[in-house]
């Protein structure tokens, strides 16, 4: 059994060590895989994008413990979502939106049973005190209904929608990766005449990162499943001073 971890905890403060310690205390035999702990603090959308990009590459039955949780300790629910192939344990704050978009959901549980939580004096570290032990007990085969009460839905974030305006399909940059590539909200680009980013006109979609021009932005279908704006062996973000929300306009063929 695998528990895959996605958080914004970083690696400097020992938080991930504590989470893994709790998991291994409950189930010493479980395998733990780190997806990332470098999500920008509090950035639920970024975490949702990363989770969508990677979850399907894991074996069936994987438990995803996902914690980007600016509302820790508030009224937001801790939840378990079981789909046909996977289990997700996370705060109900929209983090699971993109990963669950194309999955068949079988059950959603609001975690309420204190038996599967650590005793705590504060409500500041649910990653350690709730999500870690719950994930570990799930990995031992504990029945879903034992963790709490079944609910009908989960919270979804407002994902920026692509729209058509004056003959252009309009998307935007929603995240930058560590290479300075601008990940857009465009999953599909139909036949087009040009792609416009500011005053730059782009006539083709590249297949490799070295294929692009070095004096203007380029576009490629990236590993996140979205189209990306890039510069070969450079940072499109830094060189062109791109920003989150930057428009990417596709002039459609008539």
């Amino acid at each position: 059994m695998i528990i895959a971890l996605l958080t914004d905890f970083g690696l400097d403060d020992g938080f991930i060590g504590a989470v893994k310690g709790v998991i291994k205390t409950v189930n010493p035999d479980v395998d733990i895989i780190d997806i990332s702990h470098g999500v920008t603090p509090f950035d639920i959308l970024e975490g949702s994008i990363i989770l969508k990009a990677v979850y399907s590459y894991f074996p069936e039955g994987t438990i995803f413990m996902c914690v980007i949780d600016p509302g820790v300790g508030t009224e937001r629910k801790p939840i378990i979502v079981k789909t046909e192939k996977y289990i997700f344990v996370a705060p109900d704050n929209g983090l699971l939106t993109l990963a669950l978009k194309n999955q068949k959901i079988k059950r959603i549980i609001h975690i309420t049973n204190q038996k599967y939580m650590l005793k705590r004096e504060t409500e500041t570290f649910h990653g350690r005190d709730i999500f870690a032990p719950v994930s570990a007990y799930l990995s031992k085969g504990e029945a879903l209904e034992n963790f709490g009460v079944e609910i009908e839905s989960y919270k979804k974030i407002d994902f920026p929608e692509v729209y058509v305006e004056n003959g252009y399909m309009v998307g935007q940059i929603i995240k930058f990766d560590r290479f300075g590539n601008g990940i857009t909200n465009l999953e599909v680009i139909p036949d087009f005449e040009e792609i416009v980013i500011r005053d730059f006109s782009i006539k083709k979609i590249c297949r490799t990162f070295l294929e692009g021009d070095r004096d203007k932005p380029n576009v490629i279908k990236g590993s996140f499943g979205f189209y990306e704006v890039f510069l070969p062996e450079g940072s499109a973000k830094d060189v062109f001073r791109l920003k989150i929300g930057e428009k990417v306009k596709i002039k459609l063929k008539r």
Side-chain angles (χ1 to χ4, degrees):
M1 181 63 72
I2 294 172
I3 296 177
L5 305 179
L6 174 67
T7 78
D8 60 352
F9 295 169
L11 298 175
D12 295 335
D13 299 309
F15 298 141
I16 293 304
V19 165
K20 291 182 178 180
V22 171
I23 291 171
K24 283 291 191 177
T25 298
V26 175
N27 186 0
D29 298 322
V30 73
D31 292 326
I32 302 173
I33 294 178
D34 298 295
I35 297 173
S36 175
H37 302 297
V39 176
T40 301
F42 318 123
D43 196 329
I44 295 168
L45 175 58
E46 181 178 312
S48 191
I49 293 168
I50 293 172
L51 182 61
K52 173 190 180 294
V54 304
Y55 81 86
S56 63
Y57 296 99
F58 281 78
E60 188 170 338
T62 296
I63 298 165
F64 294 92
M65 192 200 101
C66 310
V67 188
I68 291 91
D69 194 14
V72 61
T74 66
E75 292 182 357
R76 68 93 188 94
K77 302 180 182 72
I79 60 171
I80 303 166
V81 180
K82 180 171 175 54
T83 68
E84 282 190 312
K85 293 185 177 181
Y86 303 109
I87 296 175
F88 298 84
V89 183
D92 186 23
N93 60 11
L95 178 56
L96 301 181
T97 301
L98 298 181
L100 296 180
K101 184 178 179 181
N102 295 316
Q103 295 192 65
K104 184 175 181 180
I105 296 173
K106 301 186 77 172
R107 297 184 75 182
I108 307 172
I109 301 293
H110 173 199
I111 303 166
T112 58
N113 192 341
Q114 297 289 328
K115 174 183 175 181
Y116 301 102
M117 306 177 192
L118 299 189
K119 293 182 180 179
R120 55 197 184 276
E121 296 180 355
T122 70
E123 300 295 334
T124 61
F125 198 177
H126 285 187
R128 176 195 63 197
D129 299 338
I130 298 178
F131 299 115
V134 166
S135 298
Y137 281 112
L138 283 167
S139 73
K140 295 182 72 173
E142 196 75 25
L144 280 176
E145 57 267 21
N146 293 342
F147 291 94
V149 295
E150 188 162 359
I151 57 178
E152 295 297 320
S153 62
Y154 63 95
K155 184 175 180 179
K156 301 177 180 66
I157 52 175
D158 293 326
F159 186 73
E161 296 293 336
V162 177
Y163 60 93
V164 176
E165 180 179 77
N166 298 326
Y168 287 86
M169 186 168 75
V170 183
Q172 62 178 272
I173 292 174
I174 56 175
K175 166 183 163 54
F176 291 101
D177 66 16
R178 69 185 302 268
F179 300 101
N181 301 326
I183 291 84
T184 75
N185 60 338
L186 294 157
E187 295 185 81
V188 177
I189 294 182
D191 288 341
F192 65 93
E193 293 184 18
E194 67 172 346
I195 300 173
V196 179
I197 301 172
R198 293 187 186 166
D199 296 328
F200 296 103
S201 176
I202 300 162
K203 299 295 187 181
K204 68 173 184 178
I205 294 173
C206 298
R207 290 184 57 82
T208 73
F209 286 108
L210 290 181
E211 189 180 322
D213 297 318
R214 294 176 181 268
D215 59 350
K216 68 178 184 180
N218 302 273
V219 174
I220 193 170
K221 186 67 177 285
S223 56
F224 283 93
F226 298 100
Y227 284 89
E228 301 180 10
V229 181
F230 77 98
L231 183 68
E233 297 182 295
S235 169
K237 175 185 178 183
D238 294 338
V239 172
F240 302 111
R241 298 184 180 181
L242 300 177
K243 298 179 180 179
I244 299 293
E246 193 89 40
K247 296 282 181 62
V248 179
K249 302 172 66 175
I250 296 94
K251 187 175 183 180
L252 302 173
K253 283 188 175 179
R254 297 185 179 182

